[in-house]
Structure formats: C-alpha cells, structure tokens
Amino acid sequence: MESDLDLFDSHCHLDFAAFDGWRDQALRNARSVGVRQILLPGVTAQYWSRLLQLCQLQSQAYEHYPLLYPALGMHPCFMAEHRPEHLELLQQHLAGGEALAVGEIGLDFFISDSDVQAQQLLLERQLLLAKQYDLPVLLHVRKAHDQMLKTLRRFKLPRGGVVHAFSGSEQQAHIYIDLGFKLGFGGVLSYRRATKLRHLAATLPLESMVLETDAPDMPLSDWREEPNRPERVRDIFEVLYSLRSEAPEHIARQTTANVREVLALNIA
Ligand SMILES: [Zn+2]
C-alpha cells in the first residue's frame, strides 16, 4: 500500500551516475513511502541538460513517481570544472525559466585546497543572477557561515532560499531565518552524537525547516555503507518527529509547504 504522506526531499542529486541503472527503482521506492516531490540541485554545467531532461520525463509519469523539480548552479566543491562560459550558459537557462532556483552554490572552506577568493567570486556572480531573475538560492556552506552571512546581508536576495545540510550554530540559524532562509535537515540527524544539530531540529520554528537526503551522499546512521537514496527522507522525517512535540502529519505538511513556499509552487 502506498503511503498517504506528502514528503518533499529538498535536496537530492538524482542526476549523479551513482543512480544509473536503478534510478527508476529509487524513485518508485521513494514514492511508495510518501516522497511525492524532489528538488534536484545542479552542480556543474556538464550535468545540467541531463538534470533538466530527468525532471521533464518524470513530470509525465506522476502516478508512480515523485515530481522532480530542477535547480541549476555551480557547486564550490567542483571549482576545477567550472568555466567562465558556464556562467553565460547558466544565465541562458535562467532567462528561459528552466530552473526554479539557483543552486547548488556556496562556500566550502572545509576542503583542503580551497581557493577562497575564487569561490567567493563565483558565489557572488550566481547571487547576482538569482537577484536578476528573482529566484531563490540553494546554499552549500561548510566552515564558512560567517562569510556567507556577511555576503547575504550585502546582496539582500528578494527570494531567500535554503541552507542545505545546515551545520552552523543556533545564532547563525536565526540570522539565516531572519534573512528569509529555510534550513535543510538530513541524514546527520540520525546520528545520536549530533547533539547540537538534534537540539536545533527540536527547537527551531517548524516554519523554517525543510527535509533533505542529499542522496547519494550523507548516508543515515543505519545505512552507512551504501549510497543514500531519496526514500530515506522518510527516515529523516521519523527522526525529526521523534524529536519534536507536533503531530507527525503536521510536521510532514509544514516541511513540504516550506519547500513549496521557497520555490513558489503555491498552486495546491
Ligand atoms: Zn548537494
């Protein structure tokens, strides 16, 4: 029997080769546990057309699959693959209304050879595009929250967005929320030692939270040895409601509504 939940995986790299050969199965499994919508962030220009194609195909087979929504961007962990002309290509896609958000973009100072300046420049170019086309952004931020917040204050994005796999402090969480952002919670919540994050997930306003898998990355604690998959957003949802006082149905409804609000998918 199919679940009557309506969950939204706000961050899943379904276009990655890790899903080749079992993508359909991954989608059907996700749908059967109540995942009805998935947002696919783009990471490099090489994969954008494939990602867009995936989203288009799936939208024609809604009965058995979750709906897939596209975002396009250049990820800070793949600096070596980005070229100046990719920014022009991104602009063309955005001008054509092909993406619902600009992402995955951001700052990652955790990677050892990070060129901080190049990352910052690429981020700013893409924030400008988000502003120009009035789109929300999907942010990847590791060890760089203060610099990101400083940048966002300067850019004043009209649509905000999502800070995916949020890993900052409580204070930083509130500043993002004040700037119009939702915070993404994923597999890390399933680890009992993630006490700081679990505390945040238990106490932040539900209106500011979205669920995500980041599949095939960020495996949950019970499945550390295998690639993550979109159906696991159901497990993340279960961890979240075990931490909170609201009814599970309310948590499902609100977290899904939050992603839909960010993407302006407000037709019920
Ligand atoms: Zn990602």
Side-chain angles (χ1 to χ4, degrees):
M1 209 186 73
E2 192 172 285
S3 165
D4 55 6
L5 280 172
D6 176 8
L7 299 172
F8 202 137
D9 183 352
S10 67
H11 199 108
C12 176
H13 297 288
L14 207 66
D15 54 318
F16 282 14
F19 286 105
D20 289 354
W22 64 291
R23 192 170 280 107
D24 277 355
Q25 193 56 49
L27 285 169
R28 270 196 299 269
N29 292 349
R31 171 78 191 220
S32 72
V33 298
V35 183
R36 290 172 178 253
Q37 312 172 64
I38 304 179
L39 177 57
L40 277 61
V43 299
T44 61
Q46 197 198 340
Y47 290 105
W48 291 342
S49 50
R50 177 169 146 149
L51 186 153
L52 291 169
Q53 225 173 9
L54 258 177
C55 293
Q56 234 160 22
L57 284 179
Q58 232 60 55
S59 68
Q60 295 157 9
Y62 183 47
E63 292 154 62
H64 309 291
Y65 298 105
L67 275 173
L68 306 181
Y69 297 103
L72 298 177
M74 284 180 262
H75 193 295
C77 291
F78 303 95
M79 293 304 289
E81 292 173 48
H82 304 319
R83 300 284 174 271
E85 61 268 26
H86 295 164
L87 273 168
E88 286 161 41
L89 184 61
L90 179 59
Q91 177 154 23
Q92 285 167 22
H93 282 302
L94 301 179
E98 291 173 79
L100 297 184
V102 178
E104 176 173 1
I105 65 176
L107 298 172
D108 195 318
F109 300 162
F110 181 76
I111 38 180
S112 55
D113 61 342
S114 55
D115 181 342
V116 171
Q117 263 185 331
Q119 285 190 27
Q120 179 72 25
L121 195 66
L122 181 66
L123 169 69
E124 294 193 5
R125 296 290 298 272
Q126 296 183 96
L127 291 177
L128 274 179
L129 289 176
K131 239 179 145 163
Q132 185 179 347
Y133 294 101
D134 197 29
L135 290 168
V137 294
L138 310 176
L139 299 178
H140 169 107
V141 191
R142 269 203 306 180
K143 302 255 176 232
H145 286 293
D146 286 334
Q147 183 157 334
M148 179 60 80
L149 285 167
K150 225 196 296 174
T151 308
L152 293 175
R153 278 204 195 89
R154 202 148 46 78
F155 275 79
K156 298 187 176 58
L157 298 174
R159 294 271 305 272
V162 176
V163 186
H164 121 80
F166 181 71
S167 60
S169 68
E170 184 157 9
Q171 193 195 10
Q172 288 162 335
H174 286 290
I175 306 175
Y176 280 117
I177 294 168
D178 289 344
L179 286 165
F181 281 79
K182 313 282 185 203
L183 308 178
F185 289 87
V188 179
L189 272 192
S190 66
Y191 293 82
R192 292 199 167 273
R193 62 179 146 76
T195 49
K196 215 178 71 175
L197 194 74
R198 286 163 74 103
H199 170 74
L200 266 185
T203 53
L204 283 175
L206 198 57
E207 291 69 27
S208 65
M209 303 172 71
V210 300
L211 301 173
E212 63 165 71
T213 58
D214 201 19
D217 302 324
M218 306 275 246
L220 282 71
S221 63
D222 288 344
W223 297 278
R224 282 173 224 214
E225 305 308 325
E226 53 179 273
N228 197 3
R229 37 177 83 186
E231 72 192 79
R232 301 269 152 80
V233 90
R234 168 70 183 255
D235 303 275
I236 294 160
F237 160 68
E238 286 173 8
V239 176
L240 181 63
Y241 79 64
S242 75
L243 296 171
R244 296 192 63 101
S245 56
E246 297 94 340
E249 310 77 57
H250 177 64
I251 292 175
R253 219 177 310 118
Q254 186 64 50
T255 52
T256 291
N258 294 342
V259 193
R260 296 182 61 86
E261 181 196 324
V262 170
L263 300 177
L265 295 171
N266 286 327
I267 335 111

